[in-house]
Amino acid sequence: MRKLFVLLLVLAIVFGAGLVSVAASYSVDENSEEYLVMFDGPAKKGLLQAFGVSDEAILHEFSLLPAYHLELTSRQVRGLKNHPQIKYVEENAEAQAFGQTVPWGVPHVQSTEVHNMGQTGAGVKVAILDTGIDNTHEDLAVNVKGGYSVFTDSANRDPFYDGSGHGTHVAGTVGAIDNSLGVIGVAHQTDLYAVKVLNNDGSGSYAGIAEGVEWSILNGMDIINMSLGGSQSSSILKEFCDLAYSEGLLVVAAAGNSGNRGGNNDSVGYPAKYESVIAVAAVDANNNRASFSSTGPAVELSAPGVSVLSTVPGNRYASYNGTSMASPHVAGVAALIWGEHTNLTNSELRQLLQHTSINLGRSNQYGYGLVQANDAINYLR
Ligand SMILES: [Ca+2]
Ligand SMILES: [Ca+2]
């Protein structure tokens, strides 16, 4: 992980107008801290020495401005602050640059371990059936390889316009880029496809979802992620999901956000409830089921779905909750496994996901449990 540290030079004006008070001696056992000191006028190293600043305490002498990075005792600080030739004495604040944040869910499903051994999901195609993906996003752009919209109206026909933010967030969890900014996805070099089946308000129809599934089959997708669903069943949508699965695609969907606090209702939505589709429940960082996460015998796997930080349109980032956020963790883990073990069939991959998950308890709430990318990959070694 790259960590850029920048020296934050906030030029707060600390004007010492007091008297010169050069004490004769300074105790050497006093705790010293790092400071930035700047002269008002030419730098005078001799003045620092007069305050008892040793050569070892001079950590850096700047050349463009009369400034020093020093280790100073509190008495030296007081003295320098009051000296008329010293313009600023500031604590050396350490600030992290606008670096990349690793969302908690990424290591939680063992993606970081997999990345460290060089597997990033490259070459695996993941269709994001959602509200579209902002393909100009700084943390997604090169990974978004194509797309399609089921809509024909001007507001919704562009798959790369995401007026909701939902699809862009889901896409970032699967495959945000590993760079020095924003976040990182579970499979940060996987190919993302924006299949817009939900409009800018986040709504769509089963016909649109079916069309998106069909597009995914026809266009050689490996994985379909559907962070969407409804409470009604549809024989035709089921047929399309079954067809995708029989054609070798892995089909992953959010279980739904209709769970109750007790976790005892049967509330998994469609298409997740279909046998050919993996229903994903949401857990928090402590592996507790999110109270909204739908429950029932169809729940198959669990993944992070609380306070999930990811990309949203306009080079922005946001934390969302939902099984919509859990499903793309599973899609991303599947992309990592398929990137490593390219000969696996979709049903073999699915069994591997089930078999290597961490059992979290009641199967109606957690299914087989929390997906684990590294354990799944190593299981076949
Ligand atoms: Ca990034
Ligand atoms: Ca299912």
Side-chain angles (χ1 to χ4, degrees), residues 221-240:
M221 297 295 112
D222 298 304
I223 299 168
I224 294 174
N225 185 83
M226 291 186 280
S227 290
L228 51 81
S231 55
Q232 288 203 32
S233 185
S234 152
S235 298
I236 293 173
L237 178 58
K238 178 180 182 299
E239 290 282 344
F240 275 99

Side-chain angles (χ1 to χ4, degrees), residues 64-82:
L64 297 178
L65 288 172
Y68 288 86
H69 176 195
L70 304 173
E71 260 183 21
L72 300 174
T73 65
S74 56
R75 293 180 70 183
Q76 290 170 331
V77 169
R78 281 194 300 275
L80 287 167
K81 276 185 176 175
N82 287 329

Side-chain angles (χ1 to χ4, degrees), residues 193-280:
Y193 289 81
V195 184
K196 190 171 170 96
V197 302
L198 301 177
N199 65 21
N200 294 323
D201 297 324
S203 311
S205 69
Y206 281 24
I209 300 168
E211 192 179 335
V213 171
E214 182 183 60
W215 184 92
S216 301
I217 299 168
L218 291 172
N219 288 275
M221 297 295 112
D222 298 304
I223 299 168
I224 294 174
N225 185 83
M226 291 186 280
S227 290
L228 51 81
S231 55
Q232 288 203 32
S233 185
S234 152
S235 298
I236 293 173
L237 178 58
K238 178 180 182 299
E239 290 282 344
F240 275 99
C241 292
D242 292 354
L243 181 63
Y245 194 57
S246 69
E247 291 289 323
L249 285 75
L250 192 75
V251 190
V252 185
N257 299 334
S258 303
N260 59 17
R261 199 156 278 282
N264 50 19
N265 59 357
D266 186 0
S267 53
V268 175
Y270 301 95
K273 204 165 187 173
Y274 300 132
E275 175 56 32
S276 55
V277 181
I278 297 175
V280 183

Side-chain angles (χ1 to χ4, degrees), residues 5-62:
F5 286 94
V6 287
L7 221 52
L8 201 65
L9 281 162
V10 181
L11 296 179
I13 294 173
V14 186
F15 247 103
L19 296 166
V20 186
S21 61
V22 183
S25 68
Y26 294 90
S27 67
V28 287
D29 56 353
E30 201 181 344
N31 285 336
S32 57
E33 306 266 357
E34 292 186 23
Y35 284 84
L36 280 166
V37 173
M38 195 166 118
F39 282 82
D40 190 11
K44 288 178 181 166
K45 198 171 172 184
L47 180 68
L48 297 176
Q49 288 165 338
F51 276 92
V53 179
S54 64
D55 282 352
E56 300 83 68
I58 299 176
L59 302 174
H60 182 69
E61 182 176 356
F62 293 89

